Structure formats: C-alpha cells, structure tokens
C-alpha cells in the first residue's frame, strides 16, 4: 500500500525545503519535479477554467450599433464561469480569449466595415476593423487576446459592429461551428 | 421600426452613410432587453441629441 502523509491539524499540510531552498517531488528514478521558489497557486487541469460557447440561432446586428453577441449553447464550461454570455473566471490569472464570428446575409458588391470587440469589464479591450467589398453573402474573422482576470469580479464579453453603405442589417450565424466564444487559463496570477 | 442609429441620421442627415464609431459616436446594445443607447458622443460639430428629439421621431 502506498504511504500517505495526512495532516493531523486543521491548518493543512506544508512541506518545506531545507536551507538549500530546493523542494522536489520524485515520481521515479531520475524523475524529479522541482517546486519553484515562488508564491502562488499551482495550476493543474482541475482548477484551470475553460469554456466554449456557440449560438443556436442567428443574431441581427443593426447598422452602426455596437451589439453584445449572445451565446446560448455551451460546448463545455469546466468551472461554471460562463453565464448570460459573459465569462467571469473564478481563478486569477492570464486567459487566452478566442472569438470568431461569421457574418451572413451580406449583399454582393456592398461595402462593409466589420469589427469584432473583446470587452473586459464593459470596456473595449481589443478590436480591429475589416473593410471589405462583399464578394459573397458571408464573411468571417477571428480575434484572440490575452487578458488578465482577478478571479472574482473581472469579466469578458464579446461585441460586434458593422457599418455598411446601405444601412442594412447583418446576421451573425447561429450554429455549433461558426460564431463562437472561448477562453482558457494559460497562466496563474 | 427605426433604430436609434437611424433616428440620429434623421436628426443629422449629414451623418448618413458615415461610420459612427469613426466619428466619435458609439450607439450600443448590451443584448439585455434594454435596447440601444448612446454610450459615447464626442462628435466635434453636432451636439448629442436630446431624449425629446429622439422620442419625437417615430
């Protein structure tokens, strides 16, 4: 039977390095994991939030109106941090945020300016604009950002904006593989 | 039904065809059921329309 070290008080169990400062875990001959000399929370997959959400129906985006994109289908949400189309992670750290849109019902030959936005705490965090003359009825793009979140109140949302030469609407596609929003913790605080 | 952006163009026809965000106007919708609103207005020539001006346009 494996040896188990169990804490006997309510204060938990602390392993401390000696004066050398080296603390290692051995999992086999020559297999050593060195615990770095830093403070913080060790990241393992069980406490690294990750989610992905998609749309089950299309969303109409009016001309000249910066509109929050809604997502009603979760592919996964490992820490239950995604609700009301908003990601509020419960572990402090640096998150890679991915946002892809597929704009549809475009009119061939019409000029469009289209921008995806990643918001942090209701403020613009990342955006850039694409100007196109539509050659087809749809157009898509992907946005990526690295965002620090404090693990309690910081939250992330995504928006979409379009301006076109005829003031018409654009549809953001609703399916499990087109317009999508995801994030994952890549480094603890 | 006219959107808030459409109403702004009704009040200021000079803005027809412009990209609002590029001229300092942000009309926003947070998809929370509360509808469109003016998040930011910093147009150098035109003052922000009043609620009365906007409500008068049907």
């Amino acid at each position: 039977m494996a040896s188990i070290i169990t804490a006997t008080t309510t204060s938990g169990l602390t392993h401390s390095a000696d004066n050398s400062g080296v603390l290692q875990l051995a999992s086999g001959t020559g297999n050593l994991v060195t615990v770095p000399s830093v403070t913080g929370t060790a990241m393992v997959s069980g406490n690294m939030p990750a989610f992905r959400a998609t749309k089950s129906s299309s969303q109409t985006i009016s001309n000249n109106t910066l509109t929050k994109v809604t997502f009603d289908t979760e592919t996964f949400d490992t820490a239950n941090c995604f609700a009301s189309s908003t990601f509020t992670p419960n572990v402090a750290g640096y998150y890679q945020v991915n946002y892809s849109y597929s704009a549809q019902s475009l009119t061939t030959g019409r000029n469009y300016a289209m921008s995806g936005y990643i918001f942090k705490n209701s403020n613009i965090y990342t955006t850039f604009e694409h100007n196109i003359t539509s050659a087809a009825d749809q157009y898509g793009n992907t946005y990526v950002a690295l965002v620090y979140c404090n693990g309690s109140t910081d939250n992330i949302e995504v928006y979409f904006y379009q301006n076109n030469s005829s003031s018409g609407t654009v549809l953001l596609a609703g399916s499990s593989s087109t317009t999508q929003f995801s994030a994952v913790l890549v480094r603890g605080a | 039904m006219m959107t808030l952006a459409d109403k702004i163009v009704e009040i200021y026809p000079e803005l027809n065809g412009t990209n609002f965000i590029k001229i300092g106007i942000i009309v926003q919708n947070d998809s929370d059921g509360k509808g469109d609103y003016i998040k930011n207005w910093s147009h150098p020539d035109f003052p922000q329309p009043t609620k009365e001006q906007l409500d008068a346009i049907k």
Side-chain angles (χ1 to χ4, degrees), chain B residues 12-57:
Chain B
Y12 297 120
E14 299 90 336
L15 299 181
N16 187 34
T18 61
N19 186 336
F20 277 15
I21 281 186
K22 287 192 171 181
I23 56 173
I25 300 170
I26 298 178
V27 173
Q28 190 162 312
N29 187 314
D30 295 326
S31 298
D32 54 3
K34 296 179 180 177
D36 301 346
Y37 64 97
I38 297 174
K39 171 85 169 184
N40 179 72
W41 187 284
S42 54
H43 193 280
D45 301 320
F46 302 128
Q48 180 172 334
T50 64
K51 183 176 185 303
E52 289 72 24
Q53 285 178 293
L54 294 167
D55 289 346
I57 301 171

Side-chain angles (χ1 to χ4, degrees), chain A residues 59 62-70 113 117 119 122-124 129 131 157 159 161 163-165 167, chain B residues 3-6 9 15-22 25-32 35-37 39:
Chain A
Q59 180 176 357
S62 298
N63 187 51
N64 275 333
T65 304
L66 182 57
T67 304
K68 180 177 177 176
V69 183
T70 57
Y117 286 77
F119 273 45
S122 301
N123 295 306
I124 296 169
E129 182 180 281
N131 293 280
E157 305 159 294
Y159 280 67
Y161 176 85
N163 169 265
N164 67 84
S165 50
S167 301
Chain B
T3 65
L4 177 56
D6 292 336
V9 170
L15 299 181
N16 187 34
T18 61
N19 186 336
F20 277 15
I21 281 186
K22 287 192 171 181
I25 300 170
I26 298 178
V27 173
Q28 190 162 312
N29 187 314
D30 295 326
S31 298
D32 54 3
D36 301 346
Y37 64 97
K39 171 85 169 184

Side-chain angles (χ1 to χ4, degrees), chain A residues 118-183:
Chain A
I118 295 174
F119 273 45
K120 177 184 177 185
N121 298 335
S122 301
N123 295 306
I124 296 169
Y125 186 84
T126 294
T127 185
F128 48 90
E129 182 180 281
H130 295 263
N131 293 280
I132 65 164
T133 299
S134 181
D137 65 350
Q138 56 186 334
Y139 177 80
N141 228 310
T142 296
Y143 295 75
V144 178
L146 196 60
V147 186
Y148 173 79
C149 291
N150 63 11
S152 57
T153 57
D154 286 345
N155 63 77
I156 301 168
E157 305 159 294
V158 296
Y159 280 67
F160 181 80
Y161 176 85
Q162 64 94 11
N163 169 265
N164 67 84
S165 50
S166 296
S167 301
T169 60
V170 162
L171 292 182
L172 289 188
S175 79
S176 61
S177 60
T178 53
T179 302
Q180 54 189 299
F181 178 21
S182 64

